[in-house]
Amino acid sequence: MLANRIKELRKLLNLSQRELAELLKVSQQTIASWETHRSEPSYDMMLHLASFFDVTLDDLLGRHDSQGASQPNNSHDLQQFLLDNQGLLTYGGAELT
């Protein structure tokens, strides 16, 4: 999935393998190897790729809701939240009243 995603993101930016390689300061052969499953970028390079393409690591790795990517649950019930946290809310370490 990573190989396909790198290729997809590169093409979305209308970049050739050579152009992407120059921007990332790697060889064109390295990009080709990543895109054909012959090798994978290091963890540090994956972070760099995610930053370069302005995506999350989960997105770079092709993880979506159906594949187990963690998504924040924004549908909290305030009353339950306050009960769970003993009514204490803080901001920047200071208690809110």
Side-chain angles (χ1 to χ4, degrees), residues 13-67:
L13 294 178
N14 293 315
L15 294 172
S16 68
Q17 287 182 346
R18 171 173 276 165
E19 291 168 327
L20 180 59
E22 289 173 4
L23 291 167
L24 297 176
K25 301 187 185 330
V26 298
S27 71
Q28 183 271 326
Q29 291 81 8
T30 297
I31 302 296
S33 292
W34 293 343
E35 291 184 0
T36 57
H37 303 276
R38 288 190 308 245
S39 69
E40 290 189 350
S42 68
Y43 177 75
D44 287 340
M45 181 54 76
M46 281 193 267
L47 290 174
H48 187 62
L49 285 165
S51 177
F52 176 82
F53 289 122
D54 194 27
V55 298
T56 65
L57 275 177
D58 276 343
D59 190 26
L60 182 66
L61 295 170
R63 294 183 58 185
H64 305 287
D65 283 343
S66 63
Q67 295 172 315

Side-chain angles (χ1 to χ4, degrees), residues 5 60 75 77 90:
R5 193 68 178 125
L60 182 66
S75 61
D77 178 72
T90 61

Side-chain angles (χ1 to χ4, degrees), residues 9-10 21 49 55 63 65 68 74 77-78 83 91 93:
L9 291 167
R10 174 180 60 78
L49 285 165
V55 298
R63 294 183 58 185
D65 283 343
N74 293 325
D77 178 72
L78 181 58
L83 287 172
Y91 180 79

